[in-house]
Amino acid sequence: MAGLAVAQPAPAPAPTEAAPKAIPAEPAPPASAPAPAPSVSDKAVEAAPSPSTEAKPPPVPVRRARYDVAVIEALDKVTAESLRFEAAVGRPVRYKSLVFTVKACERSAPEEAVEDAIAYVTVDSQPRPEPGKSPLAPRQAFKGWMYASSPGLHPLEHPVYDAWLITCRAATPPSAPAP
């Protein structure tokens, strides 16, 4: 058996699993980076001018013009009746079951970009008393600023009525009788 070669099966190659490739690590940022050196030119640095001894007064803002009458428009949603009326500042005005009291009325200053009228109004809902019965206590329906340019910004929320500001104006002076 000298010339016989025994055939043996070749050993099976070891299964190779896809080994993850190593990702080269990025160098970490230095712990403390040196601050860039300030560049200084050969010219002398001028000193900051000292504050002037004359202090300019700050500009005085122009105040809004105040008026003593607000023009309001109200709408009855049931009958589609609308009414434009004037409400003097501080005096309650009744429209059906609503009582409007204007606390302040202003128009924008000439320097403002948008011409507008604003009024601080309180609106109470108070039905008229029936004969022989005591009046019901008023219920506040609205309290706040109304803007003529944006009537939907702070609207009166009432199931029957809508109201919005039209403008502010000065009360007409009483006319003197003619001689």
Side-chain angles (χ1 to χ4, degrees):
M1 271 209 31
L4 256 194
V6 180
Q8 293 182 355
T16 58
E17 293 180 12
K21 294 183 179 181
I23 299 174
E26 294 183 20
S32 63
S39 62
V40 179
S41 64
D42 295 337
K43 298 179 183 178
V45 178
E46 294 182 22
S50 61
S52 64
T53 56
E54 298 175 26
K56 292 182 182 177
V60 178
V62 178
R63 293 186 54 102
R64 292 180 170 205
R66 290 220 168 197
Y67 293 89
D68 49 359
V69 174
V71 179
I72 298 174
E73 188 159 345
L75 170 71
D76 185 338
K77 297 180 202 177
V78 175
T79 63
E81 173 190 359
S82 75
L83 177 69
R84 188 175 286 194
F85 60 92
E86 296 179 352
V89 173
R91 300 186 69 201
V93 175
R94 178 179 281 276
Y95 171 73
K96 298 195 177 192
S97 66
L98 298 179
V99 178
F100 292 83
T101 307
V102 177
K103 304 289 184 178
C105 197
E106 300 178 349
R107 288 174 95 178
S108 56
E111 291 82 25
E112 292 184 40
V114 177
E115 187 173 328
D116 195 10
I118 60 173
Y120 189 81
V121 182
T122 59
V123 181
D124 296 323
S125 178
Q126 183 180 23
R128 294 183 189 259
E130 294 181 20
K133 292 189 176 181
S134 63
L136 297 172
R139 193 184 93 239
Q140 191 171 55
F142 177 79
K143 178 181 179 181
W145 290 96
M146 286 186 174
Y147 299 88
S149 64
S150 304
L153 187 60
H154 291 291
L156 166 70
E157 293 180 10
H158 193 274
V160 179
Y161 305 108
D162 274 340
W164 56 94
L165 178 69
I166 301 297
T167 189
C168 295
R169 68 171 191 81
T172 57
S175 59

